[in-house]
Amino acid sequence: MSHAVQAAAPPSVPDERIARRSPLARLLARPETGSLAGAVVIYVFFYAVAPPFRGLDALATILYASSTIGIPAVAVALLMIGGEFDLSAGVAVTSASLVASMLSFQLTMNVWVGVALALLLALGVGALNGYLVMKTGIPSFLVTLATFLMLQGLNLAITKLITGTVASPDISDMDGFGSAQKIFAAEWDVGGLSLRISVLWWLLFTAIATWTLLRTRVGNWIFAVGGAQSSARAVGVPVRRVKIGLFMTVGFLAWFTGMNLLFSFNSIQSGEGVGNEFLYIIAAVIGGCLLTGGYGSAVGAATGAFIFGMTTQGIVYAGWNPDWFKFFLGAMLLGATLLNLWVRRRTEAAR
Amino acid sequence: MSDTMTEAPLVRLTDCEKRYGTIIALTGVSLEVHAGEVTCVLGDNGAGKSTLIKVIAGMHHCDAGVYEVEGERVRFASPREALERGIATVYQDLAVVSLMPVWRNFFLGSEVRKGVGPLSRLDIRFMRETTRTELHNMGIDLRDVDQPIGTLSGGERQCVAIARAVYFGAKVLILDEPTAALGVKQAGVVLRYIMRAKERGLGVVFITHNPHHAYPVGDRFLILNRGRPLGDFARDEITRERLTALMAGGEELEQLSHELEGAAATDTALGRVAEEFEHEVAELSIRKTPPEPPA
């Protein structure tokens, strides 16, 4: 045991062992790489087999379909990186739009009032989910399964109670509809292409989530609470606040998606949204999020949603029976999961 | 080191007693930690080592006795408060997130940021460089601070956790069995960092059940047995052999040896075990000369 403390050599001197990690290896280690490669393969595939798929108008349609899954999937991905699930996200979208439309309609108020109250409700459901999970320690899978069922029941029962039907009333002639539609569901004609604003929102939310994850303190905390909750707590990360915040983010983007649907279609079916929560989770997992938390990316979730959009539309453009869609979705999920498993084994075991 | 002895010790525990319900986990335990010294706490399983850590780290209070930090009587409400007074604990699970890069782990919970308002962001370059430099100063030669900390060896991870505590201003470092799960070579690496921390003027509390790890680095040795102090020795008052014997409960060992011999009369397989055991006990009491202390 030598007493001599070595003088600090300049740390910039490269270690000869660093060189082995090539830029390619670094790229492969990123969570979204697998899904990006998958997206390219699927794009090329449909480009080859389905001529209508090649047009820009088809791309615009695909992007819109992707955005309706992609917006909530961004929040779901953040939540999964934080180590939790939210099964209530799919019906929460419908709940938000039902609340916004029916409140405005029944009280004959400006639709913005309903929109604001729906936001409060969506954030409240998120906060409740998060609070219950953190307070009781019950897995979020169970807690949000319960809220999922309760919301689904409320959606159907209250809509029937108020309107006597299974759909919310048409609110397209109400005050504030025009301005709300401009924000949530605008559609522009760009050189003959129909471009939807939700695509831009999707890209913006993905960018914000990516910045937050990789460049902010909160992002660091999200990875930490998902990767090792007790360790995070031990070094002073406010675990409860981070997780409740993540559940509320899911609530926020579910609300946003709900508003997009409401102001696109003017009226909402109360039974909608069931099953979509799995699409969000699938998009996040295809995008490289680990089910166990602590690993994943928002860009990956966006790519996962894009793969989803391409496949749904591509099957139609190729003239195939859409019954095959779920099979493809399942196969992709399995492939993505195997890839993720392989990546994690490499990451955790490599010396 | 003599000048530090005249000052109030960084941590002083006097006649500490801690009960969990009717179970007395610690009683009559006193401990001093001085700057630039390593105080080893030795004991077998159930000796009260973990309870002692929890008291010093601020997780528990003494039911009786006095706890002073730098001469001032304290009663910590949480480990956070102890940390603010410079008492940092590195637990066995190390509090690291294995999928996160080394530098993110190093600054986790104390991230350095630049910019204001919504543009406030991590100062990644600073944190990367600092992690590299700090680890280098502790003598850790890391391939790449961007690799997930889970890819480091157990010893390296332990060292990152120690370096982190040192960087964030720890005056007293409590190490909970840092060498327990490590191989010989890796344990040696960790012991070297304990010496580094000591040379930097930190007070170290080194908890272990291995006298061979404790003896080379320790300045003081507190031996616990079933919640009671079995002895408190300065380094020049005790040999490695005596330490080992005390630690294992030397008399109990000899008793066990005799019992084995008795049983061996009827069982030849046991006879070989008894023989080896006797040999070991004998060796413990024969080798009296202390080994060369580390410079």
Side-chain angles (χ1 to χ4, degrees), chain A residues 8 17-18 214-215 220 347, chain B residues 104 111 122 137 141 143 151:
Chain A
R17 289 170 298 179
I18 294 175
L214 298 179
R215 289 289 178 270
N220 221 28
T347 315
Chain B
R104 280 186 187 266
E111 292 84 354
L122 299 177
N137 288 348
D141 168 30
R143 278 146 281 183
T151 62

Side-chain angles (χ1 to χ4, degrees), chain A residues 51-246:
Chain A
F53 186 86
R54 295 169 200 170
L56 277 177
D57 51 339
L59 186 64
T61 311
I62 290 166
L63 284 175
Y64 176 64
S66 309
S67 71
T68 57
I69 297 299
I71 290 173
V74 167
V76 168
L78 293 183
L79 182 69
M80 282 179 67
I81 295 169
E84 302 293 342
F85 276 107
D86 192 346
L87 297 181
S88 68
V91 286
V93 169
T94 310
S95 299
S97 41
L98 285 173
V99 166
S101 68
M102 289 199 296
L103 267 180
S104 318
F105 191 83
Q106 294 300 322
L107 306 174
T108 12
M109 284 186 304
N110 192 302
V111 294
W112 281 104
V113 176
V115 168
L117 289 172
L119 174 60
L120 284 183
L121 178 103
L123 292 177
V125 169
L128 179 73
N129 279 335
Y131 178 78
L132 287 176
V133 167
M134 294 316 291
K135 185 76 185 173
T136 62
I138 298 171
S140 50
F141 187 93
L142 288 177
V143 170
T144 59
L145 183 63
T147 37
F148 157 69
L149 292 171
M150 290 194 293
L151 284 180
Q152 194 190 349
L154 288 174
N155 286 354
L156 294 170
I158 294 181
T159 309
K160 190 69 168 282
L161 206 65
I162 291 178
T163 68
T165 68
V166 291
S168 72
D170 187 329
I171 57 163
S172 57
D173 55 354
M174 293 189 63
D175 286 347
F177 185 88
S179 57
Q181 191 177 41
K182 278 203 180 69
I183 301 285
F184 294 110
E187 197 173 348
W188 302 299
D189 191 71
V190 184
L193 287 177
S194 137
L195 186 65
R196 308 274 204 136
I197 196 172
S198 64
V199 175
L200 298 183
W201 283 120
W202 174 39
L203 298 178
L204 180 70
F205 288 135
T206 305
I208 292 173
T210 302
W211 156 270
T212 305
L213 271 180
L214 298 179
R215 289 289 178 270
T216 71
R217 188 171 68 168
V218 172
N220 221 28
W221 291 352
I222 292 173
F223 279 112
V225 298
Q229 181 166 317
S230 54
S231 298
R233 187 173 282 130
V235 296
V237 174
V239 175
R240 178 190 288 226
R241 255 168 50 211
V242 171
K243 288 209 170 176
I244 293 180
L246 287 172

Side-chain angles (χ1 to χ4, degrees), chain A residues 3 5 8-9 11 15 17-18 21 26 211 214-217 220-221 224 227 231 235-236 347-348 350-351, chain B residues 80 95-97 100 104 108-109 111 113 121-122 124 132-133 136-137 141 143-144 148 150-151 164 195 199 295:
Chain A
H3 189 94
V5 184
D15 188 311
R17 289 170 298 179
I18 294 175
R21 205 156 170 235
R26 271 174 191 278
W211 156 270
L214 298 179
R215 289 289 178 270
T216 71
R217 188 171 68 168
N220 221 28
W221 291 352
S231 298
V235 296
T347 315
E348 285 194 332
R351 283 278 161 85
Chain B
R80 191 95 222 161
V96 297
V97 183
M100 290 175 78
R104 280 186 187 266
L108 186 58
E111 292 84 354
R113 290 179 293 172
R121 59 201 183 276
L122 299 177
I124 291 177
R132 207 191 309 272
T133 317
H136 193 277
N137 288 348
D141 168 30
R143 278 146 281 183
D144 176 6
T151 62
R164 176 168 73 180
M195 293 305 282
E199 284 158 9

Side-chain angles (χ1 to χ4, degrees), chain A residues 5-29:
Chain A
V5 184
Q6 286 186 337
S12 55
V13 171
D15 188 311
E16 75 282 1
R17 289 170 298 179
I18 294 175
R20 285 193 211 133
R21 205 156 170 235
S22 64
L24 182 69
R26 271 174 191 278
L27 182 71
L28 281 176

Side-chain angles (χ1 to χ4, degrees), chain B residues 225-240:
Chain B
N225 187 28
R226 300 171 68 85
R228 287 162 199 282
L230 207 62
D232 184 359
F233 306 94
R235 186 192 173 75
D236 49 13
E237 292 168 1
I238 192 166
T239 63
R240 185 194 295 247

